[in-house]
Amino acid sequence: MKQIVALSALLLMISTVSQAQINRVRDVDYFPRNEIYLQFGAPSVIELTTLLSPSFHDELTNGETRNHKFSGIAGIGYNFFVHPRVSIGLDFGYGYSSADMYMSEESEFGPAGEPQYVCRATIMNYAGHLSGSFIYWQHGAMECSGALYLGASWQDESIVNAVSDEIEPNDRLHFSYHITAVKFRYGDMIGGFAELGFGYRGLVNVGLSIKI
């Protein structure tokens, strides 16, 4: 009889724990500590500045960019929750872009006023950020949060000259940032999310995450 009672108590305890895991109870005693996510965002700061300002100027020539190609930003990240509503994290992202450069007026590549193709620029962008986020609204499996990302971006740029076909490297390191104004996530352990922000991660982001 005692064995039956003990077995019943054990089964009840397992059932209670399993139900708590399913419901993802979030309070000061229990909440998921870790989140891993995959995301894709577009357009990035580089895309926006290129598309909104396709012309450039220096002391000798006027120029413009054409035939733009952008991959968007694909990323992976990790968040650690120090509080049910507060997390700190780390993320990495990659993006590709390219454009053809045309110059006119006093350019040596053609008559004045007629834009001439001079080179093609290709940029592979690698970015890493430290982040902090805050969940300011939550109801059931739905939550809404904001975040700030600060880090660095390494731009691996190659310029192919139209005359010689030589590749000229022009790598550089930049300060990188992103501000997420609003992020909606739906799901308990596994969830999907969409966010709106501005910076190197993209104006609009969508992705999947798992909390454990």
Side-chain angles (χ1 to χ4, degrees), residues 106-133:
E106 299 180 11
S107 174
E108 60 179 331
F109 300 96
E114 182 180 340
Q116 297 292 308
Y117 170 69
V118 293
C119 65
R120 180 170 184 80
T122 300
I123 299 176
M124 290 183 289
N125 185 71
Y126 306 88
H129 306 95
L130 296 175
S131 65
S133 64

Side-chain angles (χ1 to χ4, degrees), residues 6 22 46 60 75 77 96 103 107 113 116 118 123 159-160 163 165 174 186 193 196 206:
I22 293 174
I46 297 176
L60 298 177
Y96 169 89
M103 292 185 179
S107 174
Q116 297 292 308
V118 293
I123 299 176
I159 299 175
V160 181
V163 177
D165 285 334
H174 290 279
Y186 183 82
F193 64 85
L196 180 66
V206 294

Side-chain angles (χ1 to χ4, degrees), residues 18 24 42 52 56 64 66 73 76-78 96 100 112-113 116 132 138 144-145 163-164 166 168 178 195 200 202 209:
S18 299
R24 306 300 293 171
L52 296 177
F56 59 92
E64 62 182 85
R66 302 178 185 177
I73 304 295
I76 183 172
Y78 168 78
Y96 169 89
D100 294 335
Q116 297 292 308
Q138 183 178 339
C144 184
S145 63
V163 177
S164 62
E166 293 182 355
E168 302 174 11
H178 188 86
E195 62 182 69
Y200 279 73
S209 73

Side-chain angles (χ1 to χ4, degrees), residues 3 39 44 79 88 90 96 138 146 151 153 160 186 188 190-192 199 209:
Q3 293 178 344
Q39 64 91 29
S44 66
N79 291 323
I88 56 176
L90 179 68
Y96 169 89
Q138 183 178 339
S153 170
V160 181
Y186 183 82
D188 294 315
I190 299 176
S209 73

